[in-house]
Amino acid sequence: MKEILKKVEQLTAEVEAEVIALRREFHQHPELGFEEENTGRKVAEYLENLGITVETGVGRTGVVGLLAGENPGPVIALRADMDALPVTEKTGVEYASQIPGKMHACGHDGHTSILLGTAKVLSQLRSELKGSVKFIFQPAEEGPGGALPMLEAGVLENPHVDAIFGLHLWPDFKPGQIGLGYGAVMAAPDKFVVKIKGKGGHGSAPHEAIDSITIAAQVINGLQHIASRQIIPTQPVVITIGTITGGYRYNIIADEVEMTGTIRTLNPEVRTEIPQRMEEIIKGITSGFGAEYEFEYIKMYPPLVNHQEMAEYVENIGRQVLGSEGVQLIKDPVMGGEDFAYYLEQIPGAFFRLGSNSGPETSYPLHHPQFNIDEKALVTGMRVLCNLALNYKG
Ligand SMILES: [Zn+2]
Ligand SMILES: [Zn+2]
């Protein structure tokens, strides 16, 4: 193990400058979900040059590389996402996005380059590698989701993958650190749309109308009741109404209101319970006031649940690679979503956070127009991923 650690340290240091350059290139040319044509092409070319078997167009714009070690053993997968966000960059760095309205504001440029660097280092360590490594470059994590189409395309088969690992750049931790949680670490980020259909009328004659706006107010309060009064308090539920639209003019009673929002849950059973409870409340309130409704609940990614043994493995490898301070255990999950969750529904694995914040310029949250990383994080990411691949025994 010590010898491998040293080799990885040396080889990742050698590839660091190249990986930083790759990251900056991806950063300048962001592509949104399922548009990752150029990014995917670059990824495929890079892997092919390393002698790695490449498959393109997996789950639309995804790319998969397979590196066979010189010794038999398990197959592990390492996953990066490639897509950017519809955000206009405001960092002012010289390698800022060249496309207005598109930006790598979630660090997926970093994830992609870390995985390419990891592939390069592992391809140089084939003789040490027991089994194979699958490199999964996934599209559209930010939506509508690229993990599911890749799974449907059979990304975890031929050969069958025994375990999967992924990371996300994270400004809550310093470069040289990773954050790791056990159990559910990210939420299911579901969506909903509610339409309340009343009857329009003159603002001075409410008795002749059915006011969809006052009914919407009751529905909003009623829905919050689910989180505060109906679900067991030890299980978190977030109910957020993000938009409310309706009405025409100050003196007209609105015939229709539409609201959209998001529901965040960590527990799959609680998650199943929510849509029915929501509909009961919406139905009860609207029918009580003589209005009608439409309700649509859109299930997005499942909660992201790390497998116990796999999280222990990441913790163990993390401490050996980065020292005991290098692994920060996360007590609180975040209620954001991540479609890596789909892989963990199928096979064992774990997802960890990669510290990227070393000062004011790298302290902005994910998705912020000024989000940026301390690029020292890239080499840390490569070191952890390489060691996860080289030491996995199945
Ligand atoms: Zn994101
Ligand atoms: Zn992300």
Side-chain angles (χ1 to χ4, degrees):
M1 169 93 202
K2 280 248 165 67
E3 217 170 286
I4 292 180
L5 271 179
K6 278 230 171 82
K7 274 188 191 165
V8 168
E9 189 163 1
Q10 184 202 332
L11 293 171
T12 49
E14 282 171 24
V15 83
E16 183 178 7
E18 186 186 351
V19 168
I20 290 174
L22 277 168
R23 183 250 161 177
R24 292 184 177 199
E25 196 178 327
F26 290 131
H27 195 84
Q28 283 182 301
H29 305 102
E31 293 174 297
L32 301 181
F34 292 126
E35 290 174 3
E36 305 91 340
E37 304 285 346
N38 290 322
T39 309
R41 195 174 310 124
K42 265 206 97 34
V43 164
E45 275 170 23
Y46 191 93
L47 296 175
E48 271 159 11
N49 286 335
L50 299 174
I52 289 175
T53 315
V54 178
E55 205 184 327
T56 57
V58 185
R60 289 167 73 180
T61 41
V63 179
V64 181
L66 183 68
L67 174 72
E70 286 177 12
N71 316 286
V75 180
I76 82 148
L78 304 173
R79 174 272 210 172
D81 39 15
M82 302 188 288
D83 57 319
L85 282 161
V87 170
T88 295
E89 180 158 354
K90 290 190 181 138
T91 59
V93 294
E94 81 268 19
Y95 55 87
S97 167
Q98 294 182 355
I99 307 167
K102 293 183 191 178
M103 176 191 174
H104 270 294
C106 202
H108 300 185
D109 51 340
H111 306 164
T112 301
S113 6
I114 288 169
L115 195 53
L116 288 176
T118 301
K120 181 161 191 175
V121 170
L122 289 176
S123 69
Q124 292 164 344
L125 291 173
R126 256 184 155 121
S127 57
E128 308 278 350
L129 193 62
K130 294 169 198 71
S132 305
V133 183
K134 224 178 234 191
F135 302 95
I136 299 178
F137 293 86
Q138 184 209 296
E141 193 287 320
E142 298 290 355
L148 205 52
M150 287 196 94
L151 283 166
E152 283 161 4
V155 73
L156 297 183
E157 299 306 325
N158 298 317
H160 176 76
V161 176
D162 297 293
I164 186 163
F165 300 96
L167 57 76
H168 204 297
L169 286 156
W170 213 271
D172 288 359
F173 304 103
K174 294 191 198 110
Q177 287 184 328
I178 62 167
L180 176 73
Y182 283 81
V185 289
M186 293 184 80
D190 295 336
K191 281 192 206 171
F192 66 88
V193 183
V194 183
K195 273 188 197 155
I196 293 160
K197 298 172 158 192
K199 188 175 151 217
H202 199 285
S204 65
H207 59 294
E208 288 171 7
I210 297 171
D211 188 350
S212 60
I213 289 196
T214 52
I215 298 170
Q218 308 273 353
V219 168
I220 293 168
N221 286 329
L223 293 179
Q224 293 305 328
H225 216 85
I226 299 174
S228 70
R229 305 286 92 181
Q230 294 186 327
I231 299 295
I232 184 165
T234 47
Q235 289 297 337
V237 177
V238 178
I239 299 177
T240 292
I241 291 170
T243 69
I244 166 160
T245 347
Y248 308 96
R249 195 167 187 270
Y250 78 97
N251 62 354
I252 297 175
I253 288 177
D255 58 348
E256 193 173 306
V257 168
E258 184 182 283
M259 298 186 281
T260 64
T262 185
I263 304 290
R264 306 292 167 118
T265 50
L266 293 175
N267 179 313
E269 283 158 34
V270 170
R271 186 189 186 203
T272 332
E273 208 178 314
I274 302 271
Q276 199 196 333
R277 289 197 179 275
M278 288 180 75
E279 183 146 16
E280 278 166 8
I281 286 165
I282 297 162
K283 192 175 178 180
I285 291 171
T286 50
S287 77
F289 295 120
E292 287 178 353
Y293 73 93
E294 277 174 29
F295 174 57
E296 193 188 356
Y297 191 95
I298 305 128
K299 277 197 157 186
M300 303 291 287
Y301 312 154
L304 191 154
V305 185
N306 276 338
H307 292 233
Q308 177 73 21
E309 279 177 25
M310 296 298 113
E312 279 167 11
Y313 178 60
V314 172
E315 185 180 348
N316 174 24
I317 293 290
R319 291 200 194 284
Q320 295 191 54
V321 176
L322 310 171
S324 56
E325 287 296 293
V327 181
Q328 301 286 312
L329 290 182
I330 301 159
K331 284 176 206 83
D332 293 319
V334 291
M335 300 306 274
E338 163 64 65
D339 74 352
F340 190 80
Y342 284 112
Y343 303 103
L344 297 183
E345 282 192 330
Q346 311 264 326
I347 55 168
F351 191 70
F352 60 94
R353 304 178 191 171
L354 179 62
S356 61
N357 177 5
S358 57
E361 280 167 22
T362 50
S363 66
Y364 293 97
L366 299 168
H367 294 202
H368 191 283
Q370 284 167 280
F371 172 78
N372 202 3
I373 59 163
D374 183 326
E375 288 167 324
K376 283 196 204 84
L378 303 176
V379 75
T380 307
M382 287 190 280
R383 286 174 65 199
V384 176
L385 291 182
C386 286
N387 281 292
L388 285 173
L390 290 161
N391 296 290
Y392 189 80
K393 304 219 166 58

